[in-house]
Amino acid sequence: GTIPSEVGMLSELKYLRISESNVHGTIPSEVGKLSQLMSLELSSNNMHGTLPTEVGNLSKLKIIALSFNNIEGTVPSEVGMLSQLQHLLIDRNNIAGTLPTEIGMLSKLANLVLYRNNIEGTVPSEVGMLSQLQRIWLDINNIAGTIPTEVGNLSMLSKLNLQSNLITGPIPTEIGMMSNILHLILINNTLTGTIPSGMMSNLQSLHLSHNRLSNSMLHLGKATSSLQYLNISNNILTSFPFGENGFKELETLDLTHNSIYQDISVILDGLSSIKDLLLSNNFLYGSIPNTIRSLARMEKLHLDNNRLIGTIPDDVLSLVRLRELKLSHNRQERQCFPWVDKCGGNIYQGGDLCCDGDNGEQVCTDQLGVDRWGLLNVCLTPGLHGTIPAGFTNTPYLRVLDLSSTLLIGNIPPEIGVLSRLEVLNLTNTTLTGSIPSSLGALTDAVVLVRGNDMIRGQNK
């Protein structure tokens, strides 16, 4: 049904709550006559039309909840007259236009929730006047401009979500001083610069993926001891402060799709609580260190699409909680160098070897990737070499094992067949030999890929 205009005659009505009742039609302007109304809750219906300006007459109103409808138009400036309003919840509608500056007059507002609408313009600086505000959810709109510095005045704010808008510029330094914020979500904008220094001391999760952050993050590890989730994937970072003491509580670190050029051996320090370490698609180099065994809580280890060399240490399989291990695409093309001019010219006695590339970068490999070409040249084939470790009985929860496009040799360990939870086994484009173990036939629920290995005998599954 609909809400009749006669509702305005209920002069003593305090609560109008008709959520999830398939109500359609519009909000009658006569609602503005309900002088005693404290709560207007019409969420999860099929209502359309606009929020009537007469709502501004409801001086005792504390809650406006119109989520999950088809409300159109703008947030009327008259809302600013609602001096008692604590919750403004109009998410998942078709609200358009800009946020009125009068919103700064809502001195008791605790929750501003307007996500999944068509709001344009900028975040008004007057938001900084809302001293009681605890949550801002303005994600998935068309809000542009920069984040106003006045947001830093919101000492009670615990969650700020501006995900999937058109926001540009740096993250204001004032946000770094907010002592009570727990969750900062700025995914999928066009933010630049760095994360503010003096970062929030109580911050638990920081979501910054799909932006243009590029500047140094060296300060970040010094003031974020409570941080549990950090996602800066799909930016243009070239380094990250691994090894700092500020990440002792960190459980998820996602730096996928950046341009980080650092030695893998220093990355594992200071991550004693890590569960998901997602570092795919960077320029990480060096060998996976044996100290990886100290990360006993690890569940997802993604190091694919980097420049790792050396062998896969047995210590990886001491991570008994491991669910996903991705080491694929850690191989580079064979390159040859003048021994004296590019590789130092000293007598090679084994171990890692680095030569200078044409663009000034170093090309390095372990001993297995070194071969001489004539008397005066050396050729390097960087990548993950050696055999696949055989201790998979220690990782019973493993679901994804991707070692494709590496330089691994030897046989496929039959112990892989005991991984009853395995969903994906990808060994394509390696240099493995031997036969496909019959034990892999037990992996009835897994996709097993071994294509591109000319020396393997058996039928691909």
Side-chain angles (χ1 to χ4, degrees):
T2 62
I3 301 175
S5 59
E6 288 80 3
V7 72
M9 300 172 63
L10 303 174
S11 58
E12 299 299 317
L13 188 66
K14 294 184 178 180
Y15 305 98
L16 179 55
R17 294 171 173 166
I18 321 176
S19 297
E20 299 183 11
S21 300
N22 200 30
V23 176
H24 55 275
T26 63
I27 303 173
S29 59
E30 287 79 3
V31 165
K33 298 178 181 180
L34 304 176
S35 59
Q36 302 301 308
L37 196 66
M38 300 174 65
S39 179
L40 176 62
E41 300 180 44
L42 304 173
S43 296
S44 300
N45 284 295
N46 293 310
M47 306 199 70
H48 59 272
T50 63
L51 179 62
T53 58
E54 289 80 0
V55 168
N57 299 329
L58 305 178
S59 60
K60 295 185 179 181
L61 196 62
K62 295 182 178 181
I63 300 174
I64 296 178
L66 305 175
S67 308
F68 291 91
N69 279 288
N70 296 302
I71 305 297
E72 303 169 340
T74 64
V75 177
S77 59
E78 287 79 2
V79 166
M81 300 168 60
L82 303 176
S83 59
Q84 301 301 309
L85 194 66
Q86 298 176 14
H87 307 283
L88 180 58
L89 316 174
I90 321 180
D91 52 287
R92 292 181 181 268
N93 279 279
N94 296 311
I95 299 295
T98 62
L99 292 175
T101 57
E102 289 82 0
I103 207 166
M105 300 168 61
L106 302 175
S107 60
K108 294 187 178 181
L109 193 66
N111 290 294
L112 176 60
V113 181
L114 294 166
Y115 68 87
R116 284 191 182 273
N117 280 288
N118 299 307
I119 297 170
E120 300 174 338
T122 62
V123 179
S125 59
E126 287 79 5
V127 165
M129 301 168 59
L130 304 176
S131 59
Q132 302 301 307
L133 201 57
Q134 297 175 24
R135 292 191 306 160
I136 298 177
W137 284 17
L138 296 175
D139 47 305
I140 315 179
N141 279 287
N142 297 309
I143 297 171
T146 59
I147 302 173
T149 58
E150 289 81 0
V151 169
N153 299 331
L154 303 176
S155 59
M156 300 290 289
L157 196 68
S158 64
K159 186 167 187 176
L160 173 60
N161 191 343
L162 299 174
Q163 173 183 343
S164 298
N165 279 287
L166 304 171
I167 296 172
T168 59
I171 303 172
T173 56
E174 289 79 3
I175 286 184
M177 306 302 169
M178 300 172 71
S179 59
N180 286 315
I181 195 162
L182 301 177
H183 307 285
L184 179 60
I185 306 172
L186 303 175
I187 298 169
N188 196 25
N189 283 285
T190 316
L191 297 170
T192 56
T194 187
I195 298 171
S197 57
M199 201 59 190
M200 315 78 167
S201 57
N202 295 315
L203 193 67
Q204 294 179 5
S205 69
L206 180 56
H207 308 247
L208 297 172
S209 66
H210 293 87
N211 279 286
R212 300 290 292 170
L213 299 173
S214 60
N215 291 3
S216 171
M217 301 282 170
L218 291 178
H219 57 279
L220 184 60
K222 303 182 185 299
T224 55
S225 58
S226 61
L227 197 63
Q228 298 174 17
Y229 180 96
L230 176 58
N231 187 342
I232 322 180
S233 63
N234 291 275
N235 279 275
I236 47 178
L237 302 182
T238 57
S239 64
F240 188 80
F242 298 106
E244 298 288 346
N245 293 324
F247 301 117
K248 290 182 178 180
E249 302 297 322
L250 195 63
E251 295 183 351
T252 297
L253 175 61
D254 190 349
L255 299 175
T256 303
H257 284 284
N258 277 283
S259 299
I260 297 172
Y261 184 75
Q262 287 176 261
D263 192 330
I264 188 69
S265 64
V266 304
I267 287 174
L268 307 180
D269 295 337
L271 296 175
S272 56
S273 298
I274 200 72
K275 291 182 179 180
D276 298 340
L277 183 59
L278 313 176
L279 304 176
S280 307
N281 295 91
N282 280 285
F283 299 106
L284 303 176
Y285 59 88
S287 301
I288 302 172
N290 294 328
T291 53
I292 197 168
R293 62 180 177 272
S294 65
L295 305 181
R297 303 181 67 192
M298 184 84 76
E299 296 182 6
K300 294 181 181 180
L301 179 60
H302 293 186
L303 299 175
D304 51 295
N305 289 279
N306 279 287
R307 296 182 175 180
L308 302 184
I309 62 174
T311 60
I312 302 173
D314 293 340
D315 305 86
V316 169
L317 300 185
S318 68
L319 305 174
V320 296
R321 299 185 183 184
L322 198 62
R323 297 175 185 272
E324 296 183 8
L325 177 60
K326 295 185 177 183
L327 301 176
S328 67
H329 293 87
N330 277 291
R331 64 185 294 176
Q332 300 174 49
E333 295 298 323
R334 184 173 184 262
Q335 300 181 57
C336 297
F337 303 90
W339 176 246
V340 174
D341 293 342
K342 296 293 186 178
C343 306
N346 298 320
I347 296 175
Y348 177 59
Q349 297 179 334
D352 293 353
L353 177 63
C354 295
C355 298
D356 295 329
D358 294 335
N359 297 320
E361 82 285 1
Q362 281 201 319
V363 179
C364 300
T365 184
D366 62 308
Q367 184 173 345
L368 293 174
V370 178
D371 64 277
R372 299 300 293 264
W373 178 40
L375 297 175
L376 301 177
N377 297 285
V378 65
C379 296
L380 308 184
T381 309
L384 282 180
H385 292 91
T387 60
I388 301 175
F392 286 98
T393 54
N394 298 326
T395 57
Y397 302 106
L398 200 63
R399 294 179 179 175
V400 176
L401 176 60
D402 190 352
L403 306 177
S404 61
S405 296
T406 57
L407 298 170
L408 295 173
I409 60 175
N411 298 326
I412 300 173
E415 292 88 348
I416 292 177
V418 305
L419 300 174
S420 59
R421 293 179 173 85
L422 200 64
E423 298 173 1
V424 175
L425 171 61
N426 192 349
L427 303 175
T428 58
N429 297 313
T430 63
T431 49
L432 296 169
T433 56
S435 302
I436 298 176
S438 59
S439 60
L440 298 193
L443 303 177
T444 56
D445 296 325
V447 175
V448 180
L449 304 171
V450 294
R451 295 188 301 271
N453 296 281
D454 295 338
M455 300 302 294
I456 288 183
R457 300 184 301 275
Q459 179 65 42
N460 287 357
K461 179 180 176 181

